[in-house]
Amino acid sequence: MNETEQPTEIRARIRILYLGPVAPHWEVRWSSGDRTIVDEFTQRVNARLMMLPPHDPQFRRNRERVMRDAEREGIYVTWDIDEDD
């Protein structure tokens, strides 16, 4: 394995918002950077999160996958989850 930790430059910034208990639950909002990268990343986020509310056990695993993917792509992610958790 050749996995060395290297700081990745930030190529884009996004915010992932929890929309509420009725699906779709999530929205990805572009803040800055390369819009093409964000559009492709948004498709992957939607595939992982769209039908999962934050209290679903699968959400935590998929959120970690989203964060690893964002790190590889150089996307800075902030989460806006207005849940009591």
Side-chain angles (χ1 to χ4, degrees):
M1 277 191 241
N2 188 11
E3 291 189 4
T4 57
E5 293 295 318
Q6 297 180 29
T8 305
E9 71 177 80
I10 295 175
R11 299 166 55 194
R13 293 177 186 271
I14 64 169
R15 177 178 299 271
I16 300 176
L17 300 148
Y18 178 63
L19 299 176
V22 177
H25 299 291
W26 303 97
E27 179 178 276
V28 177
R29 292 190 182 164
W30 171 80
S31 297
S32 65
D34 187 337
R35 186 63 186 239
T36 305
I37 293 170
V38 171
D39 289 344
E40 293 170 2
F41 182 75
T42 297
Q43 291 175 5
R44 295 191 301 271
V45 169
N46 285 339
R48 289 193 172 118
L49 297 180
M50 191 54 60
M51 302 306 283
L52 290 175
H55 61 273
D56 188 301
Q58 184 66 37
F59 169 73
R60 179 171 287 161
R61 291 185 293 272
N62 286 6
R63 179 180 176 171
E64 291 170 7
R65 289 180 181 125
V66 166
M67 294 306 293
R68 285 193 303 269
D69 192 13
E71 198 173 306
R72 279 192 304 274
E73 293 288 332
I75 298 173
Y76 180 80
V77 177
T78 56
W79 293 82
D80 190 354
I81 303 173
D82 223 340
E83 281 279 309
D84 299 328
D85 202 15

